[in-house]
Amino acid sequence: MTVLDVRRVAKVYGEGEAAVHALRGVSLSVEQGDYVAIMGSSGSGKSTLMNILGCLDVPSSGQYLLDGVDVSRLNDRQLALVRNRRIGFIFQSFNLIPRTTALANVELPLAYAGVKPALRRRRARVALDMVGLADRADHEPNQLSGGQQQRVAVARALVTEPALLLADEPTGNLDSRSTEDILAIFDQLSAAGRTILIITHEPDVGARATRLVKLFDGQIASDERQMRVAA
Amino acid sequence: MNVWEVFRFAVRGIGANKLRSGLTMLGILIGVAAVILLVAVGNGSAQQVADRIEALGTNTLTVQSTSRGGSSPLTVQVAQALKDPVLAPDVASVSPVVSTSATLTYQGTDHSVQQFVGSYATYFTASNSPIGRGSGFTTADVEAGRRVVVIGQTVAEELFPGMDPIGQELTVSGALFTIVGVLAEKSSSSGFQDANDVAIAPLTAVQQALTGYGSLTSIVVEASAPERVSDVQAQITTILNQRLKVEATSTSTPYRIQNASQLLETQTETADTFTTLLGAVAGISLLVGGIGITNIMLVTVTERTREIGIRKALGAPRRVILTQFLAEATMLSLIGGGLGVAAALIGSNFTIVGIQPVIVPSSIALALCVSVAIGLFFGSVPANRAAGLRPIDALRYE
Ligand SMILES: Nc1ncnc2c1ncn2[C@@H]1O[C@H](COP(=O)(O)OP(=O)(O)O)[C@@H](O)[C@H]1O
Ligand SMILES: [Mg+2]
């Protein structure tokens, strides 16, 4: 079953002379259970693509179908629902809510989903436990290391059990030890059948995926399946 | 998400930056407290004036001469003509008054009084000067020209410290007066004059000993009831015009009639102006406080645009984000306003610049409503802008 279907998507920032063509007609389709790594040099349009996939941004032209639904037809409320239920997004810069405990951060998507507080707390604890941070539940982001913050962000992305996990250079700011922690979690999720898209510029991170897409100057340069390299 | 959860989110938002929230609340607190308290002070001073004037007696009228230099047309005969059951049925009493400053001497101690009043026995009630100790003088005393006198508290304290003045004899311009009573203390000193620095004696005695049998200083007319005052004014105007031969067409009269309720009205008007002025000043301070909230709300939302981006990326609907920020703004202004009301209520227990503030309930409601409205309005504008951003734009916001 096709989860993502991107058809000739282009994205232009700015106008006229200053226009930047970040994406020039990208077509990509991702099946359920795929573990896709997107690589490419800096400025090749990886983040732009990922933001469109995560419904955080809209393409200038082309179509994006998520679970067969054209996203451009959804209104503000439906988009919020899609982001909340279907997609788990992990940012390079963690993007945790400051001065808010890890537990409360992880609970947040559930709160917006309308889950009752008691159940919410339980599920958030389970998610934190999964990323190995059960004992840090009451710490605020500034009391956590970068690797720990990113694991909280992963827990937050997982807690609603979305079918699709999008990660934009999740290990870009992390040391090799924390990187391994995060990748281990991804491996586990992939094994459980989740669809994962991960942006990276580290070849050994890309090697963990089952499919490698290379972007060059806003276009797909190569797209091939590969054998997973176990950790 | 239900109301309770939105409320909890807002509490968390406020708690996240305690100093800023505290300062915002302080701004509102001061604004609200200032409005309530200043209006209360204005109101208090108005009441004070009203009380003072009421103490003069609201059902009395005072006839005074307006002719300068030349002799006053008011005489005892004119005064007696005012007591006319046919032409002036609503007049309860008429007290002709002569008043002069005089030096009182008791055993070598001197004291000058501003007002040494000569009048009838009815003057005590008409001028709202009840007897405190001893007794007043009677109509018989007036007819006989007996030299008896009732003194005010100040005179008693000055000349007879620590002793009972009743029965003692005073010398006034060489004439001996026997003290028969002391006036009850008047609480309201009307500004420049000490209302307790008086002496009141029978008209005939004062005329004989001090002023001579010329014209009167004034005539105090008492109406049978406060609401009859304007009737009485019309009645005595007719009589006076007749007696003093004032042409019906003439625009000036040789006399002037003043009544306490008129005085009350003009004074109340002045006090109202004062209250309005104070209220306006306080309103400005509330507005400045409001601009403070706006400023802080703008900063808060701008600073938290990234946070709004994160929340939107996690699937927060626009409405929920908006509600959260509005709830924060409302809560800040409500708590600030509530504390402001409390501060004003506490402050109103103290005398401020010699005035006991009297809280006007509507000013509390007004100040609270204005502060909440300001919080809502100025909180909603930036929050609405941020909530409308695309998540990625909010996340990229610097
Ligand atoms: N908001 C923006 N406004 C203008 N140009 C942008 C914006 N975001 C990205 N770009 C440009 O689009 C191109 C692709 O950016 P991006 O997708 O972030 O690249 P990558 O993530 O692969 O490094 C770059 O040339 C970048 O300068
Ligand atoms: Mg990037």
Side-chain angles (χ1 to χ4, degrees):
Chain A
M1 197 194 131
T2 308
V3 181
L4 289 180
D5 195 357
V6 177
R7 296 177 184 168
R8 290 190 307 282
V9 158
K11 177 77 183 179
V12 184
Y13 290 113
E15 283 169 23
E17 296 268 300
V20 176
H21 293 263
L23 292 177
R24 308 165 187 263
V26 169
S27 294
L28 178 73
S29 130
V30 176
E31 298 299 313
Q32 181 161 10
D34 272 359
Y35 186 174
V36 184
I38 299 172
M39 296 189 71
S41 56
S42 178
S44 56
K46 306 183 297 289
S47 294
T48 304
L49 178 62
M50 195 60 111
N51 291 335
I52 291 171
L53 296 182
C55 298
L56 304 181
D57 207 349
V58 291
S60 306
S61 67
Q63 254 192 333
Y64 168 35
L65 282 76
L66 178 64
D67 291 323
V69 179
D70 187 346
V71 167
S72 67
R73 288 170 192 275
L74 302 180
N75 65 23
D76 204 67
R77 254 189 55 218
Q78 292 167 316
L79 273 177
L81 214 63
V82 166
R83 287 183 206 119
N84 187 246
R85 307 287 167 87
R86 309 288 306 149
I87 301 169
F89 208 106
I90 300 160
F91 303 86
Q92 180 177 356
S93 52
F94 321 139
N95 275 344
L96 297 180
I97 301 212
R99 294 182 284 262
T100 306
T101 62
L103 188 68
N105 260 291
V106 176
E107 272 187 46
L108 205 55
L110 294 176
Y112 292 132
V115 177
K116 292 245 160 17
L119 179 59
R120 202 158 81 197
R121 197 144 312 143
R122 200 156 354 113
R123 280 175 64 178
R125 282 196 191 280
V126 170
L128 276 176
D129 198 28
M130 240 187 93
V131 298
L133 280 180
D135 54 334
R136 293 284 191 278
D138 296 324
H139 290 224
E140 294 181 0
N142 60 359
Q143 300 166 324
L144 296 171
S145 75
Q148 289 170 330
Q149 288 188 51
Q150 192 60 298
R151 273 144 72 193
V152 173
V154 171
R156 185 177 67 181
L158 293 176
V159 77
T160 52
E161 303 188 342
L164 183 59
L165 207 64
L166 304 175
D168 187 350
E169 299 197 37
T171 60
N173 288 344
L174 303 182
D175 59 22
S176 55
R177 171 81 209 291
S178 305
T179 299
E180 190 44 53
D181 287 343
I182 299 287
L183 291 179
I185 298 168
F186 281 16
D187 287 347
Q188 218 177 314
L189 290 168
S190 177
R194 297 287 169 83
T195 311
I196 302 173
L197 272 84
I198 175 171
I199 292 179
T200 181
H201 56 250
E202 297 162 74
D204 48 336
V205 175
R208 304 279 283 263
T210 57
R211 182 176 167 192
L212 185 64
V213 175
K214 285 197 173 149
L215 272 187
F216 178 75
D217 199 13
Q219 284 175 312
I220 291 181
S222 71
D223 179 354
E224 42 206 36
R225 304 216 156 257
Q226 61 181 18
M227 287 299 292
R228 282 196 68 224
V229 180
Chain B
M1 300 222 305
N2 60 23
V3 181
W4 173 237
E5 280 204 72
V6 170
F7 175 78
R8 279 215 330 224
F9 268 51
V11 169
R12 203 175 292 162
I14 290 174
N17 197 329
K18 294 191 182 61
L19 179 65
R20 189 165 57 201
S21 306
L23 284 175
T24 312
M25 281 195 265
L26 192 67
I28 307 169
L29 186 155
I30 292 172
V32 167
V35 167
I36 298 173
L37 212 53
L38 287 187
V39 169
V41 167
N43 188 38
S45 85
Q47 288 218 347
Q48 207 169 357
V49 169
D51 288 349
R52 204 178 278 168
I53 292 172
E54 240 151 66
L56 297 175
T58 43
N59 53 349
T60 59
L61 301 95
T62 309
V63 185
Q64 280 172 317
S65 160
T66 52
S67 63
R68 296 188 175 275
S71 71
S72 155
L74 304 178
T75 59
V76 177
Q77 287 72 34
V78 172
Q80 277 159 353
L82 296 180
K83 187 100 182 88
D84 188 323
V86 182
L87 288 176
D90 295 316
V91 169
S93 77
V94 177
S95 318
V97 175
V98 292
S99 168
T100 177
S101 56
T103 305
L104 314 180
T105 314
Y106 173 74
Q107 289 185 353
T109 315
D110 281 357
H111 176 73
S112 339
V113 283
Q114 276 297 309
Q115 286 185 288
F116 195 94
V117 174
S119 189
Y120 286 178
T122 48
Y123 180 79
F124 293 105
T125 18
S127 69
N128 204 14
S129 316
I131 307 291
R133 278 177 294 141
S135 61
F137 49 81
T138 61
T139 308
D141 291 333
V142 176
E143 275 163 7
R146 237 168 249 139
R147 290 187 178 166
V148 290
V149 66
V150 177
I151 56 174
Q153 277 291 340
T154 306
V155 180
E157 280 160 22
E158 289 287 327
L159 290 180
F160 308 97
M163 61 185 280
D164 186 7
I166 292 169
Q168 306 296 328
E169 289 193 321
L170 281 173
T171 317
V172 187
S173 301
L176 273 179
F177 278 82
T178 308
I179 299 171
V180 291
V182 179
L183 294 175
E185 175 138 27
K186 280 200 175 183
S187 60
S188 49
S189 67
S190 52
F192 355 88
Q193 259 187 8
D194 180 359
N196 294 305
D197 194 15
V198 291
I200 305 170
L203 176 72
T204 41
V206 176
Q207 283 180 320
Q208 193 183 39
L210 293 162
T211 64
Y213 294 94
S215 50
L216 300 170
T217 312
S218 62
I219 303 170
V220 173
V221 180
E222 196 183 357
S224 54
E227 60 273 11
R228 299 255 85 132
V229 166
S230 49
D231 294 338
V232 168
Q233 178 148 3
Q235 292 159 9
I236 62 177
T237 303
T238 314
I239 300 175
L240 284 170
N241 284 351
Q242 221 170 44
R243 289 289 302 207
L244 305 175
K245 305 193 172 52
V246 177
E247 302 287 329
T249 53
S250 158
T251 49
S252 69
T253 53
Y255 62 90
R256 177 179 63 206
I257 303 175
Q258 274 191 326
N259 71 53
S261 48
Q262 261 172 10
L263 214 60
L264 190 67
E265 233 162 72
T266 52
Q267 292 276 20
T268 312
E269 260 167 44
T270 321
D272 280 349
T273 318
F274 184 50
T275 309
T276 313
L277 211 72
L278 283 179
V281 170
I284 291 172
S285 84
L286 186 59
L287 192 72
V288 171
I291 294 173
I293 310 181
T294 321
N295 194 5
I296 287 174
M297 270 307 176
L298 266 171
V299 173
T300 307
V301 174
T302 312
E303 220 185 65
R304 286 168 67 185
T305 300
R306 259 181 79 84
E307 180 188 323
I308 291 178
I310 300 171
R311 288 176 186 272
K312 289 200 80 162
L314 296 178
R318 180 195 168 91
R319 190 181 46 81
V320 171
I321 290 181
L322 211 58
T323 324
Q324 182 194 331
F325 278 85
L326 283 190
E328 279 184 30
T330 313
M331 218 180 286
L332 276 182
S333 44
L334 258 184
I335 297 175
L339 290 176
V341 171
L345 290 179
I346 293 170
S348 68
N349 290 323
F350 301 97
T351 325
I352 298 166
V353 288
I355 292 164
Q356 179 65 47
V358 179
I359 298 271
V360 183
S362 62
S363 75
I364 296 182
L366 184 79
L368 266 184
C369 286
V370 168
S371 72
V372 171
I374 286 173
L376 269 182
F377 179 74
F378 292 116
S380 71
V381 173
N384 197 21
R385 203 197 60 207
L389 286 176
R390 238 178 252 153
I392 195 67
D393 293 331
L395 279 169
R396 281 215 196 96
Y397 198 91
E398 291 296 316

